[in-house]
Amino acid sequence: MTVVPPTHLVDRAGVSRAAYLVTTQLGWLFREQETSDIGIDAHIEVVDEADVPAGISRRGTGRLLAVQIKSGASQFTKSTDLGWWLYCDASHIEYWKNHSLPVALMLFEPESERVYWQHVNDATIITAGKSYKVLVPLKNRLDGSCRDELGVPARRQTGGGVAIAKPTRESSVRQADHELASAIDLLVAGMGKTLEEATPKDFRFAFASQLRALYRRVGAPRLDVLSVKTGYEVAKLAAYLEGATLPSRGRVVAIVEALIECAYEKGIKIPGYLMDVRAWERMWRVADRPGMQKIVKNKARKGAPLS
């Protein structure tokens, strides 16, 4: 007679519950890894437009998270006011850190049938003697509200690629033009001018004000920290934030990606549109090109949709 250990049933319940929540609450794809378990139980694929009404097609992104699922009451014994500590040996940590995909841990609580999660990276891994521990926060419950935050590492490409590509091109352009036009309005009004009188220098300063707003939103990290993350000199980063110099498009992308990473490391939630790199690229093009500035001015003057 085959013996089925109780732990096996709990483990299977944890994987099944995570799969159910990922597909129904997030609207993402869940692919269990049915080969030998050496530290990863499933791959999750981020799906765009996952929050649209049922019956409407969505788009797979090819952006993946690798997931390790721990199940059972024993996973919740090391509790704090913030959540639960999961202790890990060095071999698991090394495997997760060297994985080709970003890794997330998930804890399944059988009594409540809830699943909690945490990303695995240098910011969340804590040394604990000869082992390591990761805090899985109580606030990180697996449900529809965590869609943006959970997907950040999956949406970020390595090698300087675009970090976020979630919205459509049209919505990115519309959002970018609206944000930059609003910033220009505030800037020129303070100088006693109209939008029509705005100069390329004004657009550069307006772009810098948007960059500063994101910078402050993520807690105003030290510029030397940003320098390490981006590879750009502190003096140049200061000039970009002040509007003294307009960074190149590539540098804008790198700076925005670094600021998004800072927000994640500090547990700061920022609106999705601020993580839309295509919108930032559009704002940069407008700030860089007088012809584009004229288009934005005309749209604002006519009251036309900024799209």
Side-chain angles (χ1 to χ4, degrees):
M1 179 181 294
T2 301
V3 176
V4 180
T7 55
H8 174 76
L9 297 178
V10 174
D11 289 345
R12 294 307 309 158
V15 173
S16 298
R17 184 59 175 169
Y20 175 79
L21 293 173
V22 166
T23 54
T24 62
Q25 297 293 307
L26 302 183
W28 293 356
L29 302 177
F30 185 98
R31 303 186 183 101
E32 184 177 354
Q33 301 302 293
E34 297 180 350
T35 55
S36 58
D37 180 7
I38 56 174
I40 296 299
D41 294 305
H43 290 163
I44 295 174
E45 180 174 347
V46 175
V47 174
D48 276 349
E49 288 89 36
D51 54 351
V52 301
I56 298 178
S57 298
R58 299 153 167 99
R59 294 199 307 270
T61 63
R63 308 290 185 176
L64 304 175
L65 279 174
V67 180
Q68 171 78 72
I69 302 167
K70 299 288 188 179
S71 304
S74 62
Q75 307 297 336
F76 294 85
T77 58
K78 305 295 184 180
S79 62
T80 73
D81 291 340
L82 299 177
W84 304 272
W85 288 109
L86 179 67
Y87 283 78
C88 317
D89 57 38
S91 61
H92 275 85
I93 292 295
E94 182 179 3
Y95 181 75
W96 292 333
K97 289 181 66 175
N98 291 324
H99 203 282
S100 60
L101 297 174
V103 175
L105 286 173
M106 292 189 177
L107 300 186
F108 169 61
E109 186 177 45
E111 184 176 353
S112 66
E113 295 190 341
R114 293 176 178 174
V115 176
Y116 302 89
W117 61 272
Q118 176 63 290
H119 293 301
V120 179
N121 55 40
D122 289 335
T124 60
I125 297 170
I126 307 296
T127 302
K130 294 182 179 180
S131 62
Y132 299 85
K133 61 183 181 179
V134 175
L135 180 68
V136 180
L138 175 64
K139 68 180 181 65
N140 284 11
R141 182 175 170 181
L142 186 62
D143 57 28
S145 67
C146 75
R147 187 181 292 116
D148 287 342
E149 188 175 359
L150 178 59
V152 166
R155 292 184 179 280
R156 183 181 301 124
Q157 291 180 347
T158 58
V162 175
I164 301 295
K166 181 178 179 180
T168 64
R169 178 185 179 279
E170 291 76 15
S171 65
S172 295
V173 169
R174 182 166 57 250
Q175 183 67 46
D177 287 355
H178 172 76
E179 294 295 326
L180 195 57
S182 298
I184 283 287
D185 272 338
L186 289 173
L187 180 67
V188 297
M191 299 188 300
K193 299 196 299 187
T194 66
L195 180 61
E196 283 297 316
E197 297 172 308
T199 66
K201 182 179 179 181
D202 294 329
F203 273 87
R204 188 180 76 230
F205 278 116
F207 178 84
S209 73
Q210 295 298 98
L211 203 57
R212 286 197 304 275
L214 176 59
Y215 173 74
R216 290 192 295 267
R217 193 73 176 256
V218 304
R222 298 199 318 268
L223 291 186
D224 60 332
V225 173
L226 282 185
S227 178
V228 171
K229 290 181 179 294
T230 61
Y232 307 142
E233 297 175 4
V234 169
K236 288 189 176 295
L237 290 171
Y240 299 151
L241 289 169
E242 293 167 1
T245 306
L246 184 69
S248 67
R249 185 201 64 81
R251 292 199 168 200
V252 169
V253 171
I255 293 168
V256 170
E257 285 184 347
L259 290 173
I260 291 171
E261 186 174 335
C262 288
Y264 166 70
E265 290 170 351
K266 295 180 179 180
I268 299 173
K269 291 188 176 181
I270 56 177
Y273 73 86
L274 288 176
M275 297 191 293
D276 182 359
V277 173
R278 287 190 297 189
W280 283 100
E281 289 178 310
R282 167 72 175 194
M283 284 193 286
W284 173 83
R285 283 195 295 272
V286 174
D288 186 58
R289 303 171 186 175
M292 298 284 285
Q293 295 166 17
K294 185 176 181 180
I295 292 173
V296 172
K297 287 181 181 181
N298 288 338
K299 288 180 179 179
R301 186 181 67 250
K302 297 175 181 177
L306 294 172
S307 60

